[in-house]
Coordinates of all heavy atoms in Angstrom, one line a residue:
H628 N -27.9 2.4 -58.0 CA -26.9 3.5 -58.3 C -26.2 3.3 -59.6 O -26.0 2.2 -60.1 CB -25.9 3.6 -57.2 CG -26.4 4.2 -55.9 ND1 -26.5 3.4 -54.8 CD2 -26.9 5.4 -55.6 CE1 -27.0 4.1 -53.8 NE2 -27.2 5.3 -54.3
V629 N -25.9 4.5 -60.2 CA -25.0 4.5 -61.4 C -23.6 4.6 -60.8 O -23.2 5.7 -60.4 CB -25.4 5.6 -62.3 CG1 -24.4 5.7 -63.5 CG2 -26.8 5.5 -62.8
G630 N -22.9 3.6 -60.8 CA -21.5 3.6 -60.3 C -21.4 3.8 -58.8 O -21.0 4.8 -58.3
P631 N -21.8 2.7 -58.0 CA -21.7 2.8 -56.5 C -20.2 2.5 -56.1 O -20.0 1.5 -55.5 CB -22.7 1.7 -56.1 CG -22.6 0.7 -57.2 CD -22.4 1.5 -58.5
D632 N -19.4 3.4 -56.4 CA -18.0 3.3 -56.0 C -17.3 4.6 -55.9 O -17.9 5.6 -56.4 CB -17.2 2.3 -56.9 CG -17.4 2.7 -58.4 OD1 -17.1 3.9 -58.7 OD2 -17.8 1.9 -59.2
L633 N -16.1 4.7 -55.5 CA -15.4 6.0 -55.3 C -14.8 6.5 -56.6 O -14.2 7.5 -56.6 CB -14.4 6.0 -54.2 CG -15.0 5.8 -52.8 CD1 -13.9 5.8 -51.7 CD2 -16.0 6.9 -52.5
A634 N -14.9 5.7 -57.7 CA -14.5 6.2 -59.0 C -15.6 7.0 -59.6 O -15.3 8.0 -60.3 CB -14.1 5.0 -59.9
S635 N -16.8 6.7 -59.4 CA -18.0 7.4 -60.0 C -18.6 8.4 -59.0 O -19.2 9.4 -59.5 CB -19.0 6.4 -60.4 OG -18.5 5.4 -61.4
Y636 N -18.6 8.1 -57.7 CA -19.1 9.0 -56.8 C -18.0 10.0 -56.4 O -17.0 9.6 -55.6 CB -19.6 8.3 -55.5 CG -20.2 9.2 -54.5 CD1 -21.5 9.7 -54.6 CD2 -19.5 9.6 -53.4 CE1 -22.1 10.5 -53.6 CE2 -20.0 10.4 -52.4 CZ -21.3 10.9 -52.5 OH -21.8 11.7 -51.6
H637 N -18.0 11.2 -56.8 CA -16.9 12.1 -56.7 C -16.9 12.8 -55.3 O -17.9 13.3 -54.8 CB -16.9 13.2 -57.8 CG -16.7 12.6 -59.1 ND1 -16.8 13.4 -60.3 CD2 -16.3 11.4 -59.5 CE1 -16.5 12.6 -61.3 NE2 -16.2 11.4 -60.9
V638 N -15.8 12.8 -54.7 CA -15.6 13.6 -53.4 C -14.4 14.5 -53.6 O -13.5 14.3 -54.5 CB -15.3 12.7 -52.2 CG1 -16.5 11.8 -52.0 CG2 -14.1 11.8 -52.5
A639 N -14.3 15.5 -52.8 CA -13.2 16.5 -52.9 C -11.9 15.8 -52.6 O -11.8 15.0 -51.6 CB -13.4 17.6 -51.9
T640 N -10.9 16.0 -53.4 CA -9.5 15.5 -53.1 C -8.6 16.7 -52.8 O -9.0 17.8 -52.7 CB -9.0 14.8 -54.4 OG1 -8.9 15.7 -55.4 CG2 -10.0 13.6 -54.7
H641 N -7.3 16.4 -52.6 CA -6.4 17.4 -52.2 C -6.4 18.6 -53.2 O -6.2 19.7 -52.9 CB -5.0 16.9 -52.0 CG -4.8 16.1 -50.8 ND1 -5.0 16.6 -49.5 CD2 -4.5 14.8 -50.6 CE1 -4.8 15.7 -48.6 NE2 -4.5 14.6 -49.2
A642 N -6.5 18.2 -54.5 CA -6.5 19.3 -55.5 C -7.7 20.2 -55.4 O -7.6 21.4 -55.9 CB -6.5 18.6 -56.9
D643 N -8.8 19.8 -54.8 CA -9.9 20.6 -54.6 C -9.9 21.5 -53.4 O -10.7 22.4 -53.2 CB -11.2 19.8 -54.6 CG -11.4 18.9 -55.9 OD1 -11.5 19.5 -56.9 OD2 -11.3 17.7 -55.8
V644 N -9.1 21.1 -52.5 CA -9.1 21.8 -51.1 C -8.0 22.8 -51.1 O -6.8 22.5 -51.1 CB -8.8 20.7 -50.0 CG1 -8.8 21.4 -48.7 CG2 -9.9 19.7 -50.1
P645 N -8.4 24.1 -51.0 CA -7.4 25.2 -51.1 C -6.9 25.6 -49.7 O -6.9 24.7 -48.8 CB -8.3 26.3 -51.7 CG -9.6 26.0 -51.0 CD -9.8 24.5 -50.9
L646 N -6.5 26.8 -49.6 CA -6.2 27.3 -48.3 C -7.4 27.4 -47.4 O -8.3 28.2 -47.7 CB -5.6 28.7 -48.4 CG -5.3 29.5 -47.1 CD1 -4.2 28.8 -46.3 CD2 -4.9 30.9 -47.4
I647 N -7.5 26.6 -46.4 CA -8.6 26.6 -45.5 C -8.1 26.9 -44.1 O -7.2 26.3 -43.6 CB -9.4 25.2 -45.4 CG1 -9.8 24.8 -46.8 CG2 -10.6 25.3 -44.6 CD1 -10.6 23.5 -46.9
E648 N -8.8 27.8 -43.5 CA -8.4 28.2 -42.1 C -9.6 28.1 -41.2 O -10.7 28.4 -41.6 CB -7.9 29.7 -42.0 CG -6.6 29.9 -42.8 CD -6.2 31.4 -42.7 OE1 -5.5 31.7 -41.8 OE2 -6.7 32.2 -43.6

Side-chain angles (χ1 to χ4, degrees):
H628 287 113
V629 177
D632 52 53
L633 293 181
S635 301
Y636 180 82
H637 293 173
V638 297
T640 63
H641 285 299
D643 301 298
V644 179
L646 172 65
I647 307 183
E648 296 180 87

